[in-house]
Amino acid sequence: MHRTGLFALVLLMAVAVSLVSREQDPRLKKASRAAEHAGWIQIHLEGSPTEIGFQHGYLLASEIADNFKAISTEMVHEEKHDWTFFRKAAEDTFWPHVEPEYRDEITGIVAGLKARGVPIDVWDLVAMNAWLEFPYYDKWHEKATGTPSTGAGPGDHCSAFVATGSYTRDGRVVIAHNNWTSYTSGERWNIIFEIVPEKGNRIIMDGSPGLIHSGDDFGINSAGLMITETTISGFSGFDPAGVPEFVRARKAMQYANNIDDFARIMKDGNNGGYANNWLLADRNTNEVASLELGLKNVALQRTKDGYFVGSNFPADPKLIKEETDFDVKDLSRSENARHQRWLQLMAENRGKIDLAAAQRFLGDHVDTFDKTTAYNERTLCGHIETSPRGMGTWQPPYSPAGAVQNKAADATLAAKMSMTAALGHACGRDFKVAEHLAKHPEFSWQREILHDMNARGWTKFTAR
Ligand SMILES: [Zn+2]
């Protein structure tokens, strides 16, 4: 038998054996896993950090094993290091700054995986959680050790907006986000986590199996805060003595009761990893905000009548100059072309923005640079797989990457701990692996981990 086949069989047997004992394990009492719906798996986690972790590892064991294979394969390929390098950095650089609550949750996940026969340890899991920060770590590490640069560099992830006041139909807040990654990651970014922690607020957020944070950072908490972000392109800066971004992002999602809390938690121990422009909405105050979080420069803007948009462009002039090599004037760039489209959509839809409009925006295909309808890296619904240009240093031409899934919510949904989500492209176009690899065999290194990514349409999820 093929080794992978044998591994799958052993895994299946371990799952079958452990399912028998599931009812007896008190740690799983408050947790549940719903049947897959429109491609999404909704799981409920509740209890102490150790219990939440155990439930996560146990209920998503096979998905975490599969996601680990996909993410580690990509990291090794993209950043040109073997897996030992990432494990060592996880242990030496990231773990010392993970606070006890989240250490307990991570070790809990490892215990849950072990109970299901999946041999992933703490360093594997920490490296996986820090996955999006590694390109930033790498740049710092290369500089510190005088080694030549080998990695692809930080990616340009996502399109998003928040709006309120005279811009929305009911005058209350609306938030929406689509996640841009490789399609190997996107197809696996299909978990709806509802978390009831012992301390802090309840959370409903999308996520990826094995991550304690959302990763693409869309979530709503029971204090009334609605959160998302897009990355800052061309960013350099990393502080190895700082708190990992994945810890701060999860902590803010759980503990922030308002916009000021959120900014404080994200700034506290900022390590510069996965530097984002955070977009926030507070359904209690009807206020929206943008927290552009560089390592040296942090800009917080807020309004009760207006909007903020994100498409990976840096905004603060000092941050642009000191921390990025980004050219804001080049309108052929994806980030700037999408920025222009957001400005058009906000102006055209003033007073009419609601949940349906938000969902429509995420499937938008206007290319403002070529002034045409297109399927490429310049449209809000990104399709790098059909772009002859690719996207910056992050993705080569025709790379199977772009928008992978979508989330949107308004104040009414958020008050009920509900959100809507759509897996695959919001425009409805499917991605087919066999067809793509036949035309572009340069991506055949992904053959074992790349799946078809079909567009499933919008669905509503509510935390129980
Ligand atoms: Zn599309």
Side-chain angles (χ1 to χ4, degrees), residues 7 11-12 15 33 41 56-68 113 116 118 120 209:
F7 180 70
L11 198 66
L12 208 67
V15 169
R33 173 178 165 147
I41 300 165
H56 180 172
Y58 192 96
L59 294 175
L60 291 176
S62 52
E63 286 80 10
I64 294 171
D66 169 65
N67 200 30
F68 175 70
L113 287 167
R116 296 277 301 268
V118 177
I120 289 174

Side-chain angles (χ1 to χ4, degrees), residues 365 375 381 383 425 427:
H365 274 289
Y375 289 81
C381 181
H383 292 253
H425 286 109
C427 65

Side-chain angles (χ1 to χ4, degrees), residues 73-116:
T73 302
E74 274 198 314
M75 285 168 77
V76 166
H77 185 269
E78 305 279 310
E79 294 175 55
K80 315 279 183 269
H81 296 294
D82 61 23
W83 187 246
T84 320
F85 172 88
F86 297 106
R87 285 174 52 84
K88 189 165 169 17
E91 183 177 358
D92 296 347
T93 303
F94 290 98
W95 183 253
H97 308 289
V98 178
E99 50 198 86
E101 173 170 356
Y102 301 115
R103 283 189 181 194
D104 288 349
E105 189 167 322
I106 288 167
T107 47
I109 295 175
V110 172
L113 287 167
K114 196 172 174 212
R116 296 277 301 268

Side-chain angles (χ1 to χ4, degrees), residues 43-233:
I43 64 166
H44 179 96
L45 310 176
E46 182 171 349
S48 68
T50 310
E51 285 168 336
I52 284 174
F54 185 82
Q55 295 159 3
H56 180 172
Y58 192 96
L59 294 175
L60 291 176
S62 52
E63 286 80 10
I64 294 171
D66 169 65
N67 200 30
F68 175 70
K69 184 184 171 190
I71 288 177
S72 57
T73 302
E74 274 198 314
M75 285 168 77
V76 166
H77 185 269
E78 305 279 310
E79 294 175 55
K80 315 279 183 269
H81 296 294
D82 61 23
W83 187 246
T84 320
F85 172 88
F86 297 106
R87 285 174 52 84
K88 189 165 169 17
E91 183 177 358
D92 296 347
T93 303
F94 290 98
W95 183 253
H97 308 289
V98 178
E99 50 198 86
E101 173 170 356
Y102 301 115
R103 283 189 181 194
D104 288 349
E105 189 167 322
I106 288 167
T107 47
I109 295 175
V110 172
L113 287 167
K114 196 172 174 212
R116 296 277 301 268
V118 177
I120 289 174
D121 70 7
V122 169
W123 310 133
D124 288 332
L125 205 65
V126 171
M128 196 169 148
N129 269 274
W131 156 48
L132 297 152
E133 296 173 66
F134 263 107
Y136 303 79
Y137 168 87
D138 254 4
K139 271 195 181 179
W140 165 81
H141 184 259
E142 281 156 2
K143 223 173 173 180
T145 56
T147 45
S149 178
T150 51
D156 310 306
H157 304 282
C158 315
S159 303
F161 82 92
V162 285
T164 191
S166 65
Y167 280 84
T168 60
R169 192 178 290 280
D170 64 2
R172 305 179 72 197
V173 295
V174 177
I175 188 168
H177 174 270
N178 65 20
N179 176 355
W180 289 43
T181 59
S182 68
Y183 294 161
T184 58
S185 305
E187 185 57 23
R188 292 167 170 90
W189 218 303
N190 67 334
I191 311 299
I192 302 288
F193 285 99
E194 34 168 303
I195 307 178
V196 183
E198 251 176 6
K199 292 180 187 154
N201 298 305
R202 285 179 290 124
I203 300 167
I204 181 167
M205 67 184 193
D206 77 319
S208 177
L211 305 193
I212 66 164
H213 55 132
S214 162
D216 74 338
D217 301 307
F218 184 95
I220 293 164
N221 73 23
S222 53
L225 204 60
M226 301 149 81
I227 299 161
T228 195
E229 46 81 357
T230 77
T231 51
I232 301 170
S233 285

